[in-house]
Amino acid sequence: MTDAKDLVLTIVRPLVSQPEKVSLEVSESDAFMEYNLSVAPEDIGRIIGKQGRVVTAIRTIVYSIRTDEPKRVRLNILEHATSENA
């Protein structure tokens, strides 16, 4: 699964203004491999894109990855908590 993680990071980092704040955590449940992508609050719009086109394209690529397990892949976009919100 590290190949999928590297793929997501390779796609996302050039799109954001603060690539050092991009992180991707993988969690596993019974039915899903969940990729939780965190970006800076000001980069959320860049990742989602107009009418969700950018995130849809990223998800299309990620969801096409074959896994050895019968689990489905899910990509979630999260927002980093800033020190003002914490």
Side-chain angles (χ1 to χ4, degrees):
M1 283 298 153
T2 52
D3 292 337
K5 187 174 180 178
D6 291 339
L7 175 65
V8 172
L9 291 174
T10 301
I11 293 170
V12 169
R13 282 193 177 129
L15 298 175
V16 297
S17 62
Q18 298 179 18
E20 68 279 355
K21 291 192 177 181
V22 173
S23 67
L24 185 66
E25 294 179 14
V26 181
S27 61
E28 191 171 346
S29 68
D30 292 337
F32 292 99
M33 290 294 295
E34 295 204 36
Y35 290 83
N36 297 311
L37 178 66
S38 296
V39 297
E42 52 273 2
D43 288 330
I44 291 285
R46 291 173 186 249
I47 295 300
I48 294 173
K50 289 184 179 178
Q51 297 180 351
R53 289 185 181 138
V54 174
V55 74
T56 301
I58 294 170
R59 285 181 172 146
T60 300
I61 293 168
V62 172
Y63 295 168
S64 68
I65 296 171
R66 293 280 179 198
T67 60
D68 296 333
E69 300 123 18
K71 297 182 180 185
R72 296 178 59 188
V73 176
R74 180 185 289 169
L75 178 65
N76 302 316
I77 311 297
L78 308 175
E79 183 177 335
H80 270 305
T82 60
S83 58
E84 298 163 2
N85 294 339

